[in-house]
Amino acid sequence: MKIEPLRIGDLVARLPIIQGGMGVGVSLSGLASAVARAGGIGLISTAFPGYDEPDFRTNLLESNIRALKKHIKKARENANGGVIGINAMVAISNYEDYVKAAVEEGIDLVVSGAGLPRNLPELVEGSNTKIAPIISSAKGVRVILKLWDRNYNKTADLVVVEGPKAGGHLGFKKDEVFSSFETFDDEIPKILEEIKIYEEKYNKKIPLVVAGGVFTGEDIAKYLKMGASGVQMATRFVATEECDAHENFKKAYLKTNGDDITLVKSPVGMPGRALRNDFVKRTEEGNVKVDKCYRCILPCNPATTPYCISDALIRAVEGDVETGLVFCGANAGRVEKIVPVKELMDELEQELLSIPE
């Protein structure tokens, strides 16, 4: 199959692959720059990139902004001219500050989900930064594109549709996740029709990128043949040498056969997919105590939250994969080894090239 570059306005990635943003600390400058060097688009997560800064617990916002700018600068230096973006969760406190800081640092692309990024256009006003909402249905894309058109006379530069097999926070109700496995692909043509309305109005191409459960070159080809311009992948990039997470985090993916992958209740207000370790079992039993609240997530109520998601994610990325929260995609059980990013990207490229048109 012939591989067309992923074009987002004047941004061009040789391979139509975006590395999904993973936080806390799983996708920072190391992973993002490696993916960009290999021809894809690398995303830095804005979910507490300063977790390892010395003043993180006493100076939350400033330490995270400082770290975010540091990682963007470092990624840019190591990307060999490749495309670098951020993944920004709407549900996170100080969402606007993180986006503005990234724009100040000259970020190429903002991919935004875990809520509706209603005011994203105004946050990048006057810059060359491209914007992309993450949605999970044709209804979702209709709502956000109509809102941006009406309020800002602007449309998306890219749309990411994330399916129910994704890792981390999911844009589906818990009882809809598994029932959507078989129907998700039916949404793709409907989403393309919604996007077409704004492509014609604004006389521009708005690429659709599909995420959630994309694992092989064959998966990529399926969505390209359906009319998508590319895919977003996260799970496979965890098991790479350049992934910014602790080695124990990566090895947790190698150890699972998929039977221990489950849905968890997140303080973000969405279901999340993670490994069912000791921590998750204790949350299910109500045996987790919140000792300190960072006020990091807007929907979170310290009095009723099942656990502190920041602490849980930090423990995991630092290597404590039993008492931390290890987010993963539905296909984590298929991961067999840790490889360099370049090797993974070459493998996906060769698989894609070998598929008939």
Side-chain angles (χ1 to χ4, degrees), residues 143-161:
V143 169
I144 192 63
L145 295 189
K146 184 176 181 179
L147 189 152
W148 285 358
D149 175 54
R150 183 180 66 235
N151 291 351
Y152 302 103
N153 194 32
K154 189 178 177 78
T155 194
D157 299 296
L158 170 81
V159 171
V160 178
V161 55

Side-chain angles (χ1 to χ4, degrees), residues 289-293 308 311:
K289 183 181 177 183
V290 178
D291 296 317
K292 173 177 169 55
C293 179
C308 175
D311 277 343

Side-chain angles (χ1 to χ4, degrees), residues 11 43 46 84-89 95 98-100 102-103 107-113 117 120 123-124 127-134 148 157-158 160:
L11 301 177
L43 298 186
T46 64
I84 298 291
I86 60 165
N87 175 282
M89 291 173 52
Y95 162 77
Y98 292 119
V99 174
K100 288 178 180 178
V103 172
I107 200 70
D108 294 321
L109 171 68
V110 176
V111 179
S112 191
L120 184 54
L123 300 180
V124 303
S127 75
N128 293 320
T129 300
K130 306 298 189 291
I131 55 175
I134 302 177
W148 285 358
D157 299 296
L158 170 81
V160 178

